[in-house]
Amino acid sequence: MADDELIYLDNNATTQLDPVVIEEMLPFFGKYYGNPSAGYVFAAQARKAVDMARDQLARLLGCEPSEIVFTSGGTESNNAVINSALQFEARGKHVVTSAVEHSAVLRPCQDLTKRGGDVTFLGVDRHGNVDLGELEAAIRPETTLVSMMWANNETGVIFPVEKIAEMCREKRVLFHTDAVQAAGKIPIRLRDTAINFLSLSAHKFHGPKGVGALYVNRRTRFHPLIAGGGQENGRRGGTENVASIAGLGKAAERAMEFLSEGKAHVGSMRDRFEKAILETVSGASVNGAGAARVPNTSSFSFEGIESSAALLLLDRHHICCSAGSACRTGSQEASHVLRAMNPSGDGARRSLRFSFGRFNTEAQVDRVIEIIPRVIEKLRQIAAPVRETAQMRPETTAIGPAA
Ligand SMILES: *Cc1c(COP(=O)(O)O)cnc(C)c1O
């Protein structure tokens, strides 16, 4: 491969559109511009595309097409669930979630607390796992909703959401999962689960940005976040984003092919990468290594580096990866996920996330395996004198203010 070829290892932030998906979308920017709700024959192509996408996505999720509501993405889907669950308030205004959720769950939950609601943010252990006993104990008579992500966007750690959903069903509490990082990466069969709501986003599995879906179990009451025309069976107002929905459907179909045919070489690339980095770089550790993880994500902590400086150097080598979540790039704030896993350590500031996708190649893996050890070594050389002076500063000693 050429020295200046881009190596995109930030597939948890967004993914490359599959060319097949683009093909599927194009007619709806051109000749088939009809409104799917119109009654004439010309609109039937658009309507058919939306129906087909619903079928394709239902196959990926193992649910009924009627249980799918198209939205503008993962963020909207998450907001819609939290809004809907609290509308009914049969039990009360208490929500249980985890401290490591994406901001698209954390922020609406924090907003709830300002509107008279009450939220429990469950911590995780150093591997990123939740304690199911602790979760069960957090559910109170006034708990309306439990929301736990399926796979973590920073570490790839998988929560046992099927088990958690069963627990919630027994306690008659609604259960939602943000599955944005799980959909298309691991098999999902909602039919066999007690999950009430599930969020996903097309651009995390080679579909277009700005479109996603919410699964609402057919027996679960739902109050729309966006009221308007009766689109999506009255569950989400607004003229359907036909081209994007068609793209989402195709992306779901492609993800199914890759999952079922075992074509996913993503997992073996990630494993080879991790093994090589652990062998060649001292003071490197994998965040969440002790937990079940999705096959594409690798979150590393490197002793003696600052993630922001590492990103700059890697960028010069045309390697795209991230420090913590993409939404926080530019801010100096360390990842809330890694802090939750290790509150007393500084791992959050020394971490890099590499997330693979099916368009990555073995040659790219070879190249990053060669470059990363050099970059880390260089950063440590630069940082060494700084660290020595830092040790003499009183605020960094054990008697300094608690973090
Ligand atoms: C990316 C992401 C979201 C947000 O999805 P958008 O479609 O970008 O709004 C939500 N949750 C998780 C876990 C994500 O990774």
Side-chain angles (χ1 to χ4, degrees):
M1 61 179 286
D3 272 6
D4 60 350
E5 184 186 316
L6 182 77
I7 303 181
Y8 185 79
L9 294 178
D10 204 13
N11 286 277
N12 287 8
T14 196
T15 56
Q16 182 190 332
L17 259 176
D18 188 329
V20 177
V21 170
I22 300 178
E23 260 333 285
E24 192 76 11
M25 294 171 71
L26 286 177
F28 304 98
F29 291 115
K31 58 180 174 178
Y32 300 133
Y33 54 81
N35 186 321
S37 301
Y40 34 75
V41 172
F42 170 58
Q45 292 293 346
R47 193 162 49 246
K48 264 196 224 155
V50 174
D51 289 345
M52 188 166 91
R54 208 182 300 283
D55 290 346
Q56 288 165 320
L57 188 54
R59 275 197 290 277
L60 180 68
L61 299 181
C63 68
E64 298 306 315
S66 62
E67 294 174 307
I68 285 168
V69 181
F70 291 119
T71 66
S72 67
T75 301
E76 183 190 320
S77 297
N78 289 344
N79 275 267
V81 168
I82 293 163
N83 175 72
S84 173
L86 273 287
Q87 287 283 329
F88 299 118
E89 285 177 41
R91 294 163 57 104
K93 281 192 174 184
H94 179 237
V95 174
V96 178
T97 187
S98 83
V100 298
E101 299 293 312
H102 190 273
S103 49
V105 165
L106 287 181
R107 292 297 295 274
C109 282
Q110 285 157 1
D111 286 350
L112 259 184
T113 63
K114 292 176 202 143
R115 290 188 279 118
D118 188 11
V119 183
T120 302
F121 297 95
L122 288 173
V124 294
D125 67 14
R126 67 194 172 89
H127 307 293
N129 291 319
V130 275
D131 183 317
L132 294 191
E134 210 176 295
L135 171 57
E136 188 163 18
I139 298 175
R140 316 198 292 234
E142 65 274 21
T143 306
T144 293
L145 175 72
V146 173
S147 180
M148 306 285 288
M149 68 205 313
W150 201 316
N152 189 278
N153 47 298
E154 295 191 26
T155 58
V157 170
I158 294 173
F159 281 162
V161 291
E162 286 139 314
K163 215 185 255 178
I164 297 170
E166 286 295 340
M167 187 193 287
C168 291
R169 174 154 70 186
E170 275 166 33
K171 292 182 172 273
R172 300 184 181 285
V173 176
L174 291 171
F175 179 72
H176 164 250
T177 183
D178 175 346
V180 171
Q181 294 293 347
K185 293 178 188 166
I186 54 173
I188 294 179
R189 224 180 112 82
L190 288 170
R191 203 164 278 133
D192 303 334
T193 74
I195 294 169
N196 299 95
F197 303 106
L198 174 144
S199 304
L200 62 80
S201 175
H203 76 99
K204 302 288 175 82
F205 56 99
H206 307 288
K209 295 170 182 63
V211 66
L214 175 63
Y215 157 85
V216 183
N217 179 276
R218 63 194 174 283
R219 284 183 290 270
T220 304
R221 281 210 293 173
F222 178 69
H223 183 92
L225 176 66
I226 299 179
Q231 292 92 351
E232 296 298 292
N233 216 356
R235 292 170 299 182
R236 203 273 188 178
T239 301
E240 298 86 341
N241 184 351
V242 179
S244 293
I245 290 171
L248 166 56
K250 194 69 187 177
E253 187 187 87
R254 296 282 284 170
M256 271 293 272
E257 286 167 20
F258 279 89
L259 275 175
S260 60
E261 292 170 22
K263 274 191 206 167
H265 65 302
V266 172
S268 71
M269 277 193 301
R270 192 273 312 262
D271 292 346
R272 182 162 80 86
F273 167 78
E274 265 182 14
K275 191 163 174 281
I277 297 299
L278 286 170
E279 278 169 9
T280 53
V281 183
S282 62
S285 57
V286 175
N287 302 310
R293 289 182 294 152
V294 284
N296 83 313
T297 309
S298 193
S299 169
F300 267 97
S301 284
F302 296 103
E303 277 167 23
I305 68 146
E306 280 281 344
S307 354
S308 51
L311 289 182
L312 282 176
L313 280 193
L314 290 169
D315 195 19
R316 282 193 211 155
H317 290 280
H318 313 285
I319 297 171
C320 306
C321 62
S322 84
S325 80
C327 318
R328 284 166 188 269
T329 299
S331 86
Q332 286 298 312
E333 205 175 329
S335 152
H336 68 284
V337 175
L338 301 177
R339 268 186 292 141
M341 288 163 69
N342 186 4
S344 56
D346 66 341
R349 307 188 58 80
R350 303 186 280 101
S351 290
L352 292 174
R353 178 189 72 186
F354 306 90
S355 45
F356 296 79
R358 65 172 186 255
F359 292 112
N360 289 124
T361 63
E362 297 291 346
Q364 291 177 339
V365 177
D366 291 342
R367 185 152 178 92
V368 289
I369 286 172
E370 183 197 317
I371 291 171
I372 288 169
R374 275 162 37 199
V375 164
I376 300 298
E377 186 49 38
K378 186 163 179 183
L379 288 166
R380 284 174 176 166
Q381 281 167 7
I382 299 167
V386 180
R387 262 186 299 148
E388 276 154 29
T389 41
Q391 271 164 14
M392 293 186 284
R393 291 213 310 264
E395 65 265 35
T396 56
T397 64
I399 52 163

